[in-house]
Amino acid sequence: IYGVNLTPKEEVGPRSPQAQTLAEVAVRVGQRLLPLSYASGHQINAQLPFDLPLGPNRVTVVRTGQPDVSGEFEVVRNAPGLFGQYG
């Protein structure tokens, strides 16, 4: 998730188990909280569940003391992806 003023600070989460809250933010799809690996003012890395239904879905960023922010995204079968490698 990319944006501005997403969090007040930068935080890297643990590898296992992943955190559901980092840097005063949580992310959910529907009512499901997503595992987070990284959060900063400009980027949040969240892991989507494998069983999300195909088609449109809504993601919501919840930040302490701020209004929730939501956006639509579409889940498609076999979509290409780029994945970073952390050293």
Side-chain angles (χ1 to χ4, degrees):
I1 300 167
Y2 296 99
V4 294
N5 298 320
L6 295 172
T7 69
K9 60 185 177 181
E10 180 178 15
E11 188 173 353
V12 176
R15 289 182 185 245
S16 179
Q18 288 184 306
Q20 291 181 327
T21 302
L22 285 179
E24 300 179 23
V25 298
V27 178
R28 67 176 191 258
V29 172
Q31 297 302 312
R32 298 169 76 171
L33 286 171
L34 302 182
L36 305 177
S37 59
Y38 175 78
S40 73
H42 299 289
Q43 179 179 336
I44 299 171
N45 294 353
Q47 182 177 337
L48 291 175
F50 73 93
D51 60 349
L52 274 182
L54 297 178
N57 285 272
R58 178 172 286 282
V59 64
T60 302
V61 176
V62 179
R63 180 175 163 189
T64 305
Q66 300 293 322
D68 295 353
V69 178
S70 296
E72 297 280 329
F73 69 99
E74 187 159 347
V75 175
V76 296
R77 186 169 185 255
N78 298 334
L82 298 174
F83 302 95
Q85 181 175 353
Y86 298 99

